[in-house]
Structure formats: C-alpha cells, structure tokens
C-alpha cells in the first residue's frame, strides 16, 4: 500500500504491508528504482514483519532536490524511521540502497536489529563510468541523482570502508556470483571488515538477486532475520 510522509518538510513516498504491530523491516532500493521494486519480497515477508519500503530521494514521487549523496539518503532514513515511530528495525539495502544502509549502520547500529546488503558496491573501490547523456525519454527518477552518485562512487569516501568496523549489528552480505558486475571479492572484503558480518553467494543472481533468484534470496534472508 502506498503512503506519503513528511521528512523535514519534504514529502516522501513509501509502501507498507504487514501488521502494524509486527517486527519492522525497512527496505532500500537501488539506483533508478523505487519502493515498488521490493513488492514481491515485501509480500512474501508480510506475514511475519511490518515491511516498509522507502522511495528514496531523487526517485519516484519522493523529492527531486539536487544535492544527492548516500550520506544525505542515510540522514533521510533516520528521519523516516523517526516519522514512522520505528525504534529498532531490520534493514535491507540493495546496491545504492546497500551503501545507504552501511552508512546508516556505521553511526546508528543502535537502531537496528539486523542488516542485509545485497550486491552492494565496495565503498572503498573507485569505479569508472563511461560518459553517458540523459536518455531522451521520461524517467521515473531524477537524472541528476545518477550523475551525483556516479561521481561519488568514482572518488569514494574511504572513511566509509574504514568505519565498517563500527557496525555492531549482525550483518549478512549477499552476492550474486560470477554474473554480477560487482566483483565478488569486494563483497567478501566488506563482510570481513564488519565485526559480526558474513557473506553468502547466490550464484546466478547477478546484481538483481532478489528478482533473479527470489526463492533463494528469501530463504537466506528469512533464516538470517529469524536467528
């Protein structure tokens, strides 16, 4: 079900399924996606959790504000959790959403019960992107967010990787295996730096594990969240 909430005077969209009193689980989508990308995952987990998926800044019906960064999106997440009255919650982030989730966990592990990051780019490894102009079609996201976050990942803040040791919550890193464009050894390095981190690989999942291998993804996440 689609909802809207005000965060520091800006209107953000989100979806919510499951019983209001169930343990809360927040989902963060990848670059260019929206809360709806998690629809199948949310539906599958709604019998056990209150599953809330945020459409992040620069995407869908959430603010097209400029000044995009994963740090700012992490700040949005804290405002979002406070607005919904989520004291402590489990958090899943995919790709860009995984970077946001890691940033959040580094400073607010006290607000989390469990953390899952799916095929997340390595926060310490610069990435090289080909020059690309905005497509001449209507987009469901602000093209400026693409430029901003690619610039961020081309010259990463190395302190994000260094502060992974500050994540105290149990963390599961999920990789999509050899067909992912994210080098899987980078995911291993992320998992190893988190004190209570572990990694699993779901071969064939690629970068979109939760859509390409939904049964395997849900089995891994469900078991981890239930521990």
């Amino acid at each position: 079900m689609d909802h809207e909430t005000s965060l520091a005077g800006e209107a953000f969209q989100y979806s919510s399924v499951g019983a209001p009193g169930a343990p809360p689980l927040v989902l963060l989508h990848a670059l260019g996606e929206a809360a709806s990308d998690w629809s199948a995952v949310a539906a599958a987990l709604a019998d056990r959790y209150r599953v809330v998926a945020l459409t992040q800044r620069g995407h869908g019906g959430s603010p097209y504000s400029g000044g995009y960064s994963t740090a700012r999106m992490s700040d949005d997440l804290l405002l979002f959790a406070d607005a919904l009255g989520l004291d402590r919650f489990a958090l899943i982030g995919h790709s860009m959403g995984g970077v946001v989730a890691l940033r959040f966990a580094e400073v607010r592990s006290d607000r989390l019960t469990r953390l899952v990051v799916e095929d997340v780019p390595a926060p310490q490894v610069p990435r090289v992107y080909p020059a690309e102009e905005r497509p001449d079609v209507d987009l469901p996201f602000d093209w400026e967010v693409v430029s901003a976050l690619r610039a961020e990942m081309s010259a990463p803040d190395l302190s994000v990787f260094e502060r992974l040791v500050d994540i105290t919550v149990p963390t599961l890193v999920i990789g999509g295996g050899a067909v992912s464009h994210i080098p899987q050894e980078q995911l291993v390095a992320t998992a190893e730096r988190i004190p209570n981190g572990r990694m699993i690989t779901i071969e064939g999942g690629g970068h979109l594990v939760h859509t390409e291998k939904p049964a395997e993804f849900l089995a891994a996440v469900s078991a981890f969240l239930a521990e």
Side-chain angles (χ1 to χ4, degrees), residues 69 76 96 147 173 189 209-210 224:
S69 70
D76 291 337
M96 175 196 78
S147 303
V173 178
V209 186
H210 69 280
F224 176 70

Side-chain angles (χ1 to χ4, degrees), residues 91 102 113-120 164 167-176 184-202 219-227:
L91 177 62
L102 290 173
T113 57
R114 297 259 157 179
L115 173 64
V116 179
V117 290
E118 174 194 352
D119 221 54
V120 62
L164 291 175
I167 297 177
T168 59
V169 66
T171 301
L172 177 66
V173 178
I174 299 178
Q184 299 295 284
E185 64 271 16
Q186 295 178 7
L187 298 176
V188 172
T190 294
E192 289 180 344
R193 189 160 179 82
I194 298 171
N196 199 0
R198 72 185 85 159
M199 179 180 167
I200 65 164
T201 300
I202 299 178
V221 167
S222 296
F224 176 70
L225 295 179
E227 288 180 5

Side-chain angles (χ1 to χ4, degrees), residues 27-71:
L27 310 178
L28 300 178
H29 61 78
L31 179 64
E33 299 292 346
S36 58
D37 183 58
W38 290 112
S39 295
V41 170
L45 296 173
D47 61 334
R48 286 157 285 169
Y49 301 95
R50 177 190 177 189
V51 187
V52 181
L54 173 65
T55 293
Q56 297 178 90
R57 181 180 299 278
H59 295 78
S62 290
Y64 286 25
S65 59
Y68 299 112
S69 70
T70 54

Side-chain angles (χ1 to χ4, degrees), residues 35-137:
S36 58
D37 183 58
W38 290 112
S39 295
V41 170
L45 296 173
D47 61 334
R48 286 157 285 169
Y49 301 95
R50 177 190 177 189
V51 187
V52 181
L54 173 65
T55 293
Q56 297 178 90
R57 181 180 299 278
H59 295 78
S62 290
Y64 286 25
S65 59
Y68 299 112
S69 70
T70 54
R72 190 176 186 191
M73 291 174 175
S74 175
D75 292 341
D76 291 337
L77 175 58
L78 180 59
L79 293 172
F80 180 66
D82 288 345
L84 270 60
L86 307 180
D87 180 27
R88 298 184 72 229
F89 54 95
L91 177 62
I92 300 177
H94 173 221
S95 194
M96 175 196 78
V99 178
V100 175
L102 290 173
R103 279 187 172 273
F104 182 86
E106 287 175 349
V107 295
R108 295 312 306 256
S109 279
D110 61 306
R111 298 294 294 268
L112 300 178
T113 57
R114 297 259 157 179
L115 173 64
V116 179
V117 290
E118 174 194 352
D119 221 54
V120 62
Q124 80 282 16
V125 179
R127 297 184 65 186
V128 178
Y129 296 93
E132 186 176 2
E133 295 184 359
R134 185 194 187 283
D136 190 21
V137 296

